[in-house]
Amino acid sequence: MLKRSSAFTLVILLIISSLIFARDIVKIDKIIPADSKIKDISVHSDLDNAILRFSTHGSGDLLKGRLRYDADKMDVEFEYDDSKPAAGLTITADKLRRWGNVDIDDCRMQLSFSQDYIWEFDLDIGGAEYDFDFSGLPIKKLNLDIGAAEGRIIFEQPNPEKIRLLNIQAGAGDFEFQGLGYANFENFEFNCGAGEVELNFDGQSSGHRKAIIDVGIGDVLIDIPRDLPVRIETDGGLLSDIKIRRAKLEKVRRGVYQSPDYDDAEYSLEIEIDVGMGSAVISKGNSIMEIFGDDWDFRREGGFFAGHNLGLPEFRALPAIPAMPAPAAFEIPPLPKLPPVPPIPPIPAIPIGGKRIKIPD
C-alpha cells in the first residue's frame, strides 16, 4: 500500500511540474507588403526581455520579420496603421507577469526594414540583447531609450537622410556604435549611467557635426578617422581619466584641443565628453581597423579585442617537419679497473705512562 501511495504522489508531482514548466512557443513570420502610397513610416517600440536583430533590405516588402516567443511569459504585439500618409508601426514585447523567471531567450525578434521608405524610430529597450544594423536605411529621426541592456548599432553605408538629433539615453550595460559618421547626424547626444562604451565615427565626409557624450561611471573608447578635423572639449571629474592619443591636436586652452585645420575645414566633428568616474581614451588615426585593414572584423570579447579575418582564404596547413635521422649506435667503453687498495699496516703500540699498551687490530 505504501508503494502505491509513493508512486501516486510521484505521478502528481510530475504532472504539476510539467504544467509549471510547460512552454507555449509561438513562431510567426511577419510581412508588411510594399505600399506605393506610403513614403514615411514612424516606428514606436517598447521591447522588454528580448533578443533583437534589426537589419535592412532593398526593394520589396516594407518590412520582413520573424518572431519566436513564449506565449505563457511574453505578450508580443504588432500594430500597423497606414490610414495616414505617414504610416505608423507599433511593436511591443512585454512580460505577462512581474514575478517569476523570464529569460531574454523567451522572446526573439528579427526585423528587416526596406530602404525604399523614410523611417523615424522611437525605441524603448530594456533588459535586452540587441544588434541593429541600419546601413543604407533612410532615417531622419532616431531616439533610443536603453535600460539595462547590451548590444551594438552599426552604420556601414551612408544614411541618405539627415538626422537632426541622434539621441541615445542609456542606463547600464555595454554599448557599441560603429560607423557613426555614416549616420549623417547633425547632433549626437549620448547619456549613459554606467557601462562600457565604444564609439566609432567612421564615415563622415561632409558638414559640421557635434557629439555630446556624458557617462556617469564607466570606460569610454572613441575612435576618430585620421583625416577628420576635430575639436575635443573634455570635462572629467576628480575620479576620471581622459586621454587623447595619436591625435596631433593643438591645445586651445585647458581641456580643449583641436586639429590645426579645424577652423578652415569643409567638414569637421566637435566632441564634448564628460566622465564622472572612470576613463576615456580618444584615438585619432592608427586605430585597430587602420592597422589591420578592412579584411578584419574586431569585436570586444571579455574586455579585449578579438580579431576575425573576413577576406583571407583558409589557412593552408604547414608542411610536415621531416623526421630527424636516428642517431648512430654507440657504446660506452668500460671503465678501467682500479688497482687494489693496499692493506693498512698495523698501528704500533703507544707508550703511555711508562707502559706500552697495544691497540688491537
Side-chain angles (χ1 to χ4, degrees):
M1 184 67 182
L2 182 60
K3 292 183 178 180
R4 290 184 179 180
S5 176
S6 300
F8 179 75
T9 303
L10 179 60
V11 171
I12 295 298
L13 290 175
L14 290 174
I15 294 174
I16 294 174
S17 63
S18 64
L19 292 175
I20 293 175
F21 296 103
R23 304 182 70 186
D24 183 10
I25 302 299
V26 177
K27 297 180 180 180
I28 300 175
D29 288 334
K30 188 69 176 180
I31 295 179
I32 299 178
D35 190 343
S36 59
K37 301 188 300 294
I38 299 298
K39 180 181 178 182
D40 300 299
I41 304 171
S42 179
V43 180
H44 298 268
S45 75
D46 187 356
L47 305 172
D48 192 16
N49 290 89
I51 297 177
L52 309 170
R53 301 288 184 266
F54 290 179
S55 60
T56 69
H57 62 272
S59 300
D61 295 320
L62 185 150
L63 179 137
K64 297 184 289 187
R66 177 165 295 180
L67 312 177
R68 176 190 177 276
Y69 64 96
D70 188 344
D72 287 333
K73 298 180 179 180
M74 301 293 298
D75 179 28
V76 179
E77 295 183 359
F78 264 77
E79 295 183 5
Y80 177 66
D81 182 7
D82 60 353
S83 61
K84 300 179 181 179
L89 175 62
T90 302
I91 310 170
T92 60
D94 196 10
K95 295 185 292 185
L96 289 175
R97 300 183 295 268
R98 294 300 170 187
W99 53 269
N101 183 27
V102 177
D103 189 76
I104 61 173
D105 193 48
D106 291 327
C107 180
R108 290 176 173 265
M109 184 179 300
Q110 298 180 11
L111 301 177
S112 180
F113 303 90
S114 172
Q115 298 176 0
D116 289 340
Y117 304 87
I118 299 174
W119 298 84
E120 297 184 4
F121 290 96
D122 281 296
L123 307 178
D124 191 340
I125 304 167
E129 176 185 311
Y130 61 92
D131 192 310
F132 297 163
D133 187 348
F134 292 124
S135 300
L137 191 68
I139 302 175
K140 66 179 182 181
K141 179 181 179 181
L142 182 55
N143 292 333
L144 284 88
D145 190 344
I146 306 173
E150 63 178 27
R152 64 175 183 168
I153 297 176
I154 305 173
F155 295 87
E156 292 184 340
Q157 299 174 14
N159 170 18
E161 296 291 320
K162 185 177 293 293
I163 301 176
R164 301 297 179 187
L165 174 61
L166 201 169
N167 182 31
I168 299 175
Q169 305 293 321
D174 294 341
F175 309 97
E176 178 183 350
F177 303 88
Q178 295 291 333
L180 285 170
Y182 291 118
N184 197 16
F185 65 82
E186 287 188 354
N187 295 279
F188 171 69
E189 293 186 6
F190 176 78
N191 293 278
C192 174
E196 303 288 329
V197 182
E198 180 183 349
L199 301 168
N200 175 280
F201 287 90
D202 284 347
Q204 180 177 345
S205 60
S206 64
H208 173 74
R209 304 178 186 179
K210 184 174 182 178
I212 300 176
I213 302 161
D214 189 344
V215 176
I217 302 174
D219 298 319
V220 183
L221 176 63
I222 300 176
D223 288 331
I224 304 170
R226 180 197 304 272
D227 58 350
L228 178 61
V230 65
R231 177 185 175 94
I232 300 173
E233 183 173 345
T234 64
D235 185 13
L238 295 176
L239 301 178
S240 66
D241 181 23
I242 300 177
K243 296 179 180 180
I244 302 175
R245 296 178 177 174
R246 300 186 300 272
K248 297 181 180 179
L249 304 181
E250 298 176 348
K251 184 175 181 180
V252 178
R253 59 179 183 274
R254 183 179 178 180
V256 180
Y257 308 86
Q258 71 179 34
S259 303
D261 57 344
Y262 176 80
D263 292 330
D264 299 326
E266 295 182 0
Y267 60 95
S268 60
L269 174 64
E270 180 182 357
I271 295 177
E272 295 182 6
I273 180 169
D274 183 3
V275 179
M277 183 170 66
S279 66
V281 177
I282 305 172
S283 176
K284 188 175 188 294
N286 296 327
S287 65
I288 291 178
M289 293 301 296
E290 292 183 356
I291 294 173
F292 287 88
D294 294 335
D295 288 335
W296 286 80
D297 179 33
F298 284 87
R299 297 288 180 266
R300 186 186 295 275
E301 296 180 3
F304 299 91
F305 281 104
H308 308 278
N309 190 282
L310 301 177
L312 294 179
E314 296 182 0
F315 290 104
R316 287 175 287 184
L318 295 175
I321 300 175
M324 296 292 292
F330 64 94
E331 295 181 358
I332 300 176
L335 295 175
K337 292 184 178 181
L338 298 176
V341 179
I344 300 175
I347 301 175
I350 303 173
I352 300 178
K355 296 183 180 180
R356 296 179 67 89
I357 300 175
K358 184 178 181 181
I359 297 175
D361 296 338

